[in-house]
Amino acid sequence: MAEPPIQMTNPLPTDGELAILRALWAIGAPATVRQVHDELLRSKDTAYTTVLKMMTIMTEKQLVQRDDSERSHRYTALYTEPAVQSSMLKSFMANAFSGSAFKLVQRALDDGQASAEELDAIAKLIAQAKSRRKA
């Protein structure tokens, strides 16, 4: 008897799964394993059979949906990029920063990776968040 599919309410893909999701988001439409593989080859040498196996597992984990109505199965990401980023960020913040957004942002800024333009954009986001809280 087959096991029921895993219900994933907070998607936390592995690095490999995230790479496949990024490829699907970049393609922007239901894609075959070949198309995903070709997209992945732009940045990393990955075996076709590895991509196929990972996408099968991702279907079982309900990260992607497989349409097998045609000869070449087509896959679609079941979560948007912002939804996955949000879920991963919440998990990372909870685990690495004891749930503190302040500590997360402080560490990011202390590491000095943000450009002056990014700092300006961050300041605007903070101002917008403050005004939303007051409303």
Side-chain angles (χ1 to χ4, degrees):
M1 185 169 156
E3 292 183 31
I6 299 166
Q7 292 293 332
M8 186 170 290
T9 56
N10 294 318
L12 295 174
T14 65
D15 290 347
E17 291 168 347
L18 185 57
I20 289 171
L21 287 171
R22 283 188 182 128
L24 285 167
W25 295 324
I27 294 167
T32 64
V33 174
R34 173 67 57 206
Q35 291 169 311
V36 171
H37 179 251
D38 290 346
E39 183 70 24
L40 291 172
L41 284 177
R42 294 173 178 230
S43 59
K44 183 179 179 186
D45 188 25
T46 306
Y48 175 87
T49 54
T50 301
V51 176
L52 175 60
K53 179 64 176 172
M54 287 185 68
M55 291 182 79
T56 300
I57 292 168
M58 291 172 71
T59 301
E60 293 168 4
K61 291 172 72 173
Q62 295 186 345
L63 286 169
V64 299
Q65 182 175 38
R66 178 177 53 223
D67 175 2
D68 53 8
S69 63
E70 299 177 33
R71 184 172 183 270
S72 294
H73 298 175
R74 295 196 174 274
Y75 293 81
T76 306
L78 288 176
Y79 296 92
T80 63
E81 188 172 13
V84 172
Q85 289 170 339
S86 181
S87 179
M88 292 178 74
L89 180 62
K90 287 175 186 173
S91 176
F92 180 66
M93 190 166 62
N95 292 325
F97 298 97
S98 302
S100 172
F102 173 78
K103 289 179 183 178
L104 173 85
V105 172
Q106 181 183 29
R107 180 62 46 230
L109 295 176
D110 284 349
D111 286 347
Q113 299 296 317
S115 68
E117 294 82 18
E118 288 174 319
L119 291 173
D120 289 341
I122 290 167
K124 287 178 185 174
L125 287 173
I126 291 170
Q128 290 170 356
K130 283 181 178 180
S131 68
R132 281 194 306 267
R133 295 268 163 93
K134 291 177 183 176

